[in-house]
């Protein structure tokens, strides 16, 4: 008998979950939580509450939640670079920033070809130290998650920041609303969500799979369609399974895209990450709350192992 938050759709999922665990509610005072990033060296998690224009800090050692940054420029997704520094996408800042070890903020990207970005959403770092980010329009669509403003870019694209020159390059321009993204363990494959269904009823809500070749992307076929709303943020475990946020919880997909099962959550999920000393605690951002559940899988080492 499995706990009520575990839904097994394929027998393979039984090996990835623990029957005697429960879904933990860690905090529930937000408006739309997003962008969890785990700091194993400090045993804490940072996450965003976009409409409240703040970033929060969950202390894994005592369960406390405290204010990390306000205003946050309506921060959304965050990651860590290869040196361990915080890299953050900001909606109202319309930029990607890096927080230095002394707390100073460095702007990494706020424009492409002389025009302001839309509202950077999610971000990852590749093995070479390049920063990849998605740039949908959510932060300029209204004043709730940013500042309403007209588009300056031709559309919603995926970009790469060169680790040496800092130059910003457009890497994909065939998305409606590019969203979460994650690299495979060897860094050769990049999964990117298109959540364009937020803007039209028959729009996409799927994950696409790309190969990194010759400094660019190739492929882009649909890896998996969402069976509950649309996908948002996603992470991979050591076995190559994909854990993706959806309307009813976290969906676990096999490396071939087959839906194995779900971690059900009582709110619409936005994003997730693995944490804990063994990287087997799944932290989940969902509407107002921060949740956690232990699983029988380990997230990829983070940042990338050398």
């Amino acid at each position: 008998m499995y706990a009520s938050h575990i839904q097994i759709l394929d027998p393979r999922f039984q090996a990835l979950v623990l029957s005697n665990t429960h879904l933990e509610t860690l905090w529930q005072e937000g408006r739309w939580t997003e962008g969890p990033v785990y700091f194993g060296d400090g045993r804490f998690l940072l996450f965003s509450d976009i409409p409240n224009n703040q970033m929060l800090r969950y202390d894994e050692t005592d369960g406390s939640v405290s204010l990390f940054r306000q205003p946050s420029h309506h921060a959304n997704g965050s990651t860590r670079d290869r040196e361990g520094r915080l890299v953050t996408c900001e909606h109202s800042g319309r930029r990607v920033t890096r927080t230095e070890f002394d707390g100073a903020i460095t702007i990494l990207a706020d424009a492409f070809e002389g025009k302001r970005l839309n509202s950077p959403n999610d971000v990852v770092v590749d093995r070479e130290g390049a920063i990849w980010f998605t740039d949908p329009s959510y932060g300029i669509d209204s004043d709730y998650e940013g500042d309403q403003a007209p588009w300056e870019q031709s559309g919603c694209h995926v970009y790469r920041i060169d680790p040496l020159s800092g130059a910003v390059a457009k890497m994909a321009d065939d998305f409606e609303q590019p969203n979460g993204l994650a690299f495979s363990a060897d860094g050769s494959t990049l999964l990117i969500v298109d959540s364009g269904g937020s803007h039209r009823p028959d729009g996409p809500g799927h994950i696409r799979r790309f190969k990194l070749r010759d400094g660019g992307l190739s492929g882009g076929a649909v890896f998996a369609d969402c069976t509950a709303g649309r996908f948002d943020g996603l992470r991979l475990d050591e076995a190559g399974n994909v854990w993706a946020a959806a309307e009813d919880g976290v969906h676990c997909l096999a490396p071939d895209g087959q839906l194995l099962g779900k971690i059900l959550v009582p709110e619409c999920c936005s994003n997730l990450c693995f944490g804990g000393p063994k990287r087997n605690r799944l932290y989940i951002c969902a509407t107002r709350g921060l949740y956690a559940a232990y699983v029988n899988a380990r997230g990829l080492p983070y940042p990338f192992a050398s």
Side-chain angles (χ1 to χ4, degrees):
M1 179 67 69
Y2 286 85
S4 59
H5 70 285
I6 297 173
Q7 184 178 68
I8 296 174
L9 301 173
D10 184 296
R12 289 175 287 175
F13 194 50
Q14 294 177 11
L16 300 174
V17 291
L18 302 163
S19 62
N20 60 342
T21 60
H22 62 281
L23 182 70
E24 307 165 66
T25 302
L26 304 179
W27 185 79
Q28 193 120 34
E29 299 177 25
R31 284 201 171 98
W32 179 247
T33 63
E34 252 282 10
V37 55
Y38 183 70
F39 286 72
D41 42 356
R43 294 290 304 277
F44 66 88
L45 178 90
L46 296 181
F47 65 102
S48 301
D49 180 5
I50 302 176
N52 282 325
N53 198 17
Q54 61 185 1
M55 294 179 72
L56 299 130
R57 182 184 189 275
Y58 170 76
D59 190 321
E60 194 173 58
T61 66
D62 62 12
S64 63
V65 175
S66 58
L67 185 66
F68 174 76
R69 178 178 294 163
Q70 191 177 43
S72 66
H73 299 286
H74 298 89
N76 191 333
S78 289
T79 191
R80 299 179 74 184
D81 67 12
R82 291 187 61 85
E83 286 71 45
R85 295 168 295 188
L86 176 69
V87 178
T88 302
C89 292
E90 299 177 359
H91 278 188
S92 54
R94 298 175 73 167
R95 63 189 189 177
V96 180
T97 64
R98 182 178 65 223
T99 302
E100 308 298 344
F101 292 124
D102 63 359
I105 303 295
T106 299
I107 299 172
L108 301 178
D110 60 3
F112 177 69
E113 295 184 341
K115 298 178 180 179
R116 296 187 73 186
L117 298 171
N118 296 322
S119 57
N121 183 282
D122 210 349
V123 58
V124 290
V125 178
D126 69 19
R127 285 187 170 273
E128 308 304 318
I131 294 169
W132 298 67
F133 68 95
T134 55
D135 188 40
S137 64
Y138 297 119
I140 58 174
D141 286 339
S142 73
D143 290 321
Y144 188 62
E145 292 188 33
D147 296 326
Q148 188 171 14
W151 293 20
E152 294 186 24
Q153 296 297 326
S154 60
C156 300
H157 309 311
V158 180
Y159 297 95
R160 176 185 180 274
I161 304 172
D162 186 87
L164 298 178
S165 69
V168 180
K170 185 193 299 181
M171 307 305 292
D173 60 4
D174 59 346
F175 283 80
E176 292 191 32
Q177 295 288 336
N179 205 313
L181 68 175
F183 279 104
S184 60
D186 64 1
S188 67
T189 299
L190 180 61
L191 299 175
I192 309 176
V193 170
D194 193 337
S195 55
S198 61
H199 282 61
R200 60 184 182 90
D202 57 346
H206 53 229
I207 301 169
R208 296 172 62 189
R209 179 165 53 191
F210 295 85
K211 285 291 185 181
L212 271 67
R213 288 205 177 97
D214 301 322
L217 296 177
S218 65
V222 173
F223 168 74
D225 285 300
C226 189
T227 60
R230 53 190 177 272
F231 289 123
D232 200 327
L234 69 165
R235 295 289 190 277
L236 275 70
D237 66 25
E238 289 183 333
N241 300 302
V242 179
W243 302 73
E247 189 173 294
D248 58 351
V250 176
H251 294 196
C252 181
L253 307 158
D256 62 2
Q258 179 67 38
L259 178 60
L260 302 180
K262 303 179 182 182
I263 303 294
L264 300 174
V265 179
E267 299 183 295
C268 181
C269 291
S270 62
N271 214 328
L272 62 135
C273 73
F274 288 92
K278 297 180 180 179
R279 302 191 309 275
N280 64 338
R281 194 181 192 191
L282 196 62
Y283 285 107
I284 305 165
C285 286
T287 311
R288 298 193 63 209
L290 175 67
Y291 298 84
Y294 282 96
V295 295
N296 195 31
R298 289 189 177 189
L300 290 179
Y302 191 80
F304 281 105
S306 298

